[in-house]
Amino acid sequence: VKADGGSYDAVVIGGGPAGASTAIVLAGYGHDVLVLERERFPRFHIGESLLPAGWELWDRLGVTESLEGAGFRVKQGINFRLFGAPEDLVFLTAEFPDYFQRPYTYHVERARFDAILLDRARAAGAEVRQGWTVDDVCFHAGGRATVVASPAGAPPRSIQARAVIDASGRDCVVSRKLGWRKLDPQLNRVAHFAHFAGAPLHEPPDLGLGPLFAGATMTDVHTVDDGWLWYIPLRGDTVSVGAVLDARGQGVSMRPQERFDDAVGRCPVIREWLRSARQVMSVQTISSISYLSDRFVGDGFVLVGDASMFVDPIFSAGVTLALRGGIMAGETIHEGLLEDDLSEARLRAYEERIRPPMERIFRMIYNWYAILERKDRDNVFARARTAPLLRERMIVLFSGGYDRADLDALLAADGP
Ligand SMILES: Cc1cc2nc3c(=O)[nH]c(=O)nc-3n(C[C@H](O)[C@H](O)[C@H](O)COP(=O)(O)OP(=O)(O)OC[C@H]3O[C@@H](n4cnc5c(N)ncnc54)[C@H](O)[C@@H]3O)c2cc1C
């Protein structure tokens, strides 16, 4: 290992939303930041439905203007079709506009979204090395660390860091090394997904419950026997379609394309929308979707975004939580660098801020699968049609306002 990789205040593993946002914050405070990203951007990534709670995070990161100018598809809310019921259950952020800066968000091609964030990290002063893979991290007494990373095809280098931010997404470089990453057997799901061209939009209906934007869409969620499907219109006539299915059950012996086609075939509405559409990428698969790290911080390091946990994509929370976590981690590490204290005790402030919203989402997701299991038509989503307070809490949840409404009350209403 060559020892000439340099020395930095902070080394960030991964340049996705979590890593880029941590880097933007730290570089913005004038710290020496290095981002090591294995891929060369733009690169495909799943996770395309964002949340209205993102606007204030985008402002903090200085990317609002770039995102507005990128031509992403406007998303106004979410629509559920549960258990073959004939009617839509539509929830629009515009019904309760006071909770959020703007009552809409975007559906994004992550390749472009993530590139905007990483470019911003570079503009803020971070050094960004793409095509660099982190192979290992060695933590030393006193908190400093050595990051071992290699540029494509070249021998590894060692890089010195006062703080390490693991933002490596599902690779979970640090939590796997430390044995902290635990799969959740109760949420044992597999996702198969692809993009299609020539597919229709599903525009929000005019419920008389707030303004509608021309060309806006929703995230559609439709259930099938062994799980659920998403339908997310992107730019032009491209849509993202995915199936999140039980990882046990009868379909497991099928090949991914076969199982995906089978799930679409069992979902009449999405099957019809895709009837004359053309699949433009091969089906991708992610298994063991859900996991949680025992801890999010240690002496000299933090875990951010999917490197700390991922539960399930049903509430489209991943990217928004990754940005939020990145900002919080950046703020906490900045304070630690100023005080020359990056001990676990000092960094725990970050974990204490980010865990509560994650735990609420966790519980909501257990409830979602309990509803699916019971095929319960009298579920919290259906009841929210006619119960205004429940509806309000629901919409705040679907819009990402995890600390803005009484979600504990919602959880109580949602319980089995
Ligand atoms: C099926 C599915 C559907 C989803 N749908 C949504 C959705 O609709 N909306 C939403 O908000 N979220 C969704 N998510 C979640 C979303 O994809 C993630 O939460 C989000 O990408 C997390 O961002 P991140 O920066 O933590 O990780 P990532 O975006 O995964 O970024 C990690 C980066 O680290 C790099 N990296 C990894 N290992 C190394 C290494 N050793 N060295 C250097 N670099 C490395 C990777 O190349 C990558 O660029 C979905 C997830 C799944 C599984």
Side-chain angles (χ1 to χ4, degrees), residues 14 17-18 37-38 43 45-47 49 110 134 168 306 316 318-319:
E37 168 55 54
R38 186 179 53 204
R43 53 98 179 88
H45 202 294
I46 199 59
S49 171
R110 285 286 303 281
V134 172
S168 62
D306 280 10
S316 303
V319 170

Side-chain angles (χ1 to χ4, degrees), residues 11-15 19 34-36 134 137 147 164-169 173-174:
V11 172
V12 182
I13 310 171
L34 172 65
V35 181
L36 297 166
V134 172
V137 186
V147 177
V164 171
I165 295 93
D166 184 5
S168 62
V173 170
V174 171

Side-chain angles (χ1 to χ4, degrees), residues 72-116:
F72 292 125
R73 172 75 62 195
V74 169
K75 166 193 168 187
Q76 286 206 246
I78 185 163
N79 175 47
F80 291 91
R81 275 288 186 108
L82 303 178
F83 318 125
E87 73 277 8
D88 286 336
L89 293 172
V90 173
F91 298 89
L92 302 179
T93 308
E95 294 176 44
F96 297 97
D98 296 346
Y99 285 96
F100 301 97
Q101 232 184 67
R102 303 187 200 184
Y104 62 92
T105 182
Y106 297 120
H107 283 155
V108 299
E109 299 94 279
R110 285 286 303 281
R112 295 200 302 135
F113 178 83
D114 289 14
I116 288 171

Side-chain angles (χ1 to χ4, degrees), residues 239-257:
V239 298
S240 168
V241 182
V244 180
L245 303 170
D246 200 325
R248 296 149 299 200
Q250 18 166 287
V252 288
S253 55
M254 293 182 192
R255 288 192 314 276
Q257 178 77 51

